[in-house]
Amino acid sequence: LLPETASKEKPEEGIVVAVGPGKKTEDGKIIPVSVIPGQKVLFTKYGPNEIKVEDKEYLIAREEDILAIIE
């Protein structure tokens, strides 16, 4: 459940650190991602998963969670 305020909350901003090869279709083809490491992006507040690696926190997001690339 998302709180009623979720639709009013602003998206989060971050820098892409790494990307995977892309999304695999049902027939096995890979659709490449449209973002590259180093780009600044806006993403949905509740979309990414938080992880911690060597005392540093990261967010893992699907491309569908990325709202915009900031230039």
Side-chain angles (χ1 to χ4, degrees):
L1 292 174
L2 294 178
E4 290 180 15
T5 58
S7 63
K8 297 176 185 175
E9 292 186 30
K10 294 183 179 182
E12 299 287 320
E13 188 177 302
I15 302 291
V16 177
V17 176
V19 296
K23 184 175 183 176
K24 189 180 271 191
T25 63
E26 289 181 15
D27 60 353
K29 294 181 182 175
I30 300 289
I31 300 171
V33 260
S34 59
V35 294
I36 58 172
Q39 286 183 314
K40 186 184 285 189
V41 295
L42 287 179
F43 54 90
T44 58
K45 183 166 184 83
Y46 295 104
N49 294 303
E50 296 180 24
I51 64 163
K52 196 171 192 177
V53 177
E54 298 178 2
D55 295 327
K56 196 164 187 182
E57 292 184 14
Y58 295 95
L59 298 174
I60 297 178
R62 296 177 306 202
E63 190 169 26
E64 295 88 33
D65 295 327
I66 297 173
L67 303 172
I69 297 170
I70 301 170
E71 295 185 2

